[in-house]
Amino acid sequence: MSARIYQRPKNAMQSGKARTQEWVLEFEQSEARRPDPLMGWTGSGDTQAQVVLTFKCKEAAQDYADRYGIAARVHATPPKALKLQAYADNFR
């Protein structure tokens, strides 16, 4: 059972930064998805792929994974670059 630990990115469709400070432990899929023959929806019998746990900090997520023997990889958060631009720069 393997998982990944990451920090949620900011939603590109909204200006708010809600839930971007929490860390997420998400289990990876153990079997491939396949289409349902009757409805055509894709799914699998893997129920662990539906589990998403949130933590206040990265260390808490790592401690949880270590406590329950989950092989977890931590994905580092890229640095946030702020591009400062003045309105007058549009007319140069």
Side-chain angles (χ1 to χ4, degrees):
M1 177 168 36
S2 61
R4 64 187 186 124
I5 298 172
Y6 63 94
Q7 196 170 18
R8 282 196 176 126
K10 181 183 151 315
N11 188 349
M13 301 300 290
Q14 298 176 351
S15 61
K17 295 182 182 179
R19 301 179 69 183
T20 58
Q21 297 300 319
E22 61 189 21
W23 288 82
V24 178
L25 185 138
E26 188 175 63
F27 292 97
E28 296 176 357
Q29 288 189 345
S30 61
E31 64 181 57
R33 291 179 178 260
R34 59 189 179 284
D36 183 48
L38 180 63
M39 298 297 289
W41 298 340
T42 56
S44 69
D46 181 23
T47 58
Q48 285 291 85
Q50 301 172 5
V51 177
V52 177
L53 303 172
T54 58
F55 298 93
K56 297 267 185 205
C57 62
K58 177 174 62 170
E59 290 77 21
Q62 287 176 331
D63 290 342
Y64 180 87
D66 292 339
R67 188 177 332 123
Y68 290 103
I70 300 168
R73 293 178 306 173
V74 178
H75 294 274
T77 306
K80 296 176 178 115
L82 192 61
K83 181 180 177 185
L84 298 176
Q85 187 174 5
Y87 180 69
D89 292 341
N90 294 332
F91 303 104
R92 287 188 182 186

